[in-house]
Amino acid sequence: MTYFTTQSLDLPSIHEELVRDRIRMLHREAEEQRLASGILRLRRARRNAERATSRLHRALLRVT
């Protein structure tokens, strides 16, 4: 009988640990997603800057 009592006491603890582990994993995934989004924004900004520089360069060549 003690076995069942001990087992039933351990189950909530195991469940809570699984929940905490899942929450940690979700936080990690969210952070990875934020980093990936930041990298994509940075790449887009660089492309836009390169295009603007190229347009400016062409415009300067036309002026001179």
Side-chain angles (χ1 to χ4, degrees), residues 3 6-7 9 13 20 33 43 45 48 57-58 60 63:
Y3 172 75
T6 305
Q7 183 182 14
L9 291 175
S13 173
R20 281 193 292 271
Q33 184 64 35
R43 287 179 181 167
N48 289 341
H57 186 260
R58 286 193 306 268
L60 288 172
V63 170

Side-chain angles (χ1 to χ4, degrees), residues 25-52:
M25 186 176 13
L26 289 171
H27 282 290
R28 257 192 321 271
E29 289 174 0
E31 181 60 24
E32 290 171 2
Q33 184 64 35
R34 281 190 294 275
L35 289 172
S37 295
I39 290 169
L40 292 176
R41 277 193 308 273
L42 179 61
R43 287 179 181 167
R44 190 176 318 123
R46 282 182 179 166
R47 276 195 314 268
N48 289 341
E50 288 169 1
R51 288 181 189 138

Side-chain angles (χ1 to χ4, degrees), residues 11-22:
L11 286 178
S13 173
I14 292 170
H15 179 72
E16 288 171 5
E17 185 55 36
L18 288 172
V19 169
R20 281 193 292 271
D21 191 46
R22 179 68 178 142

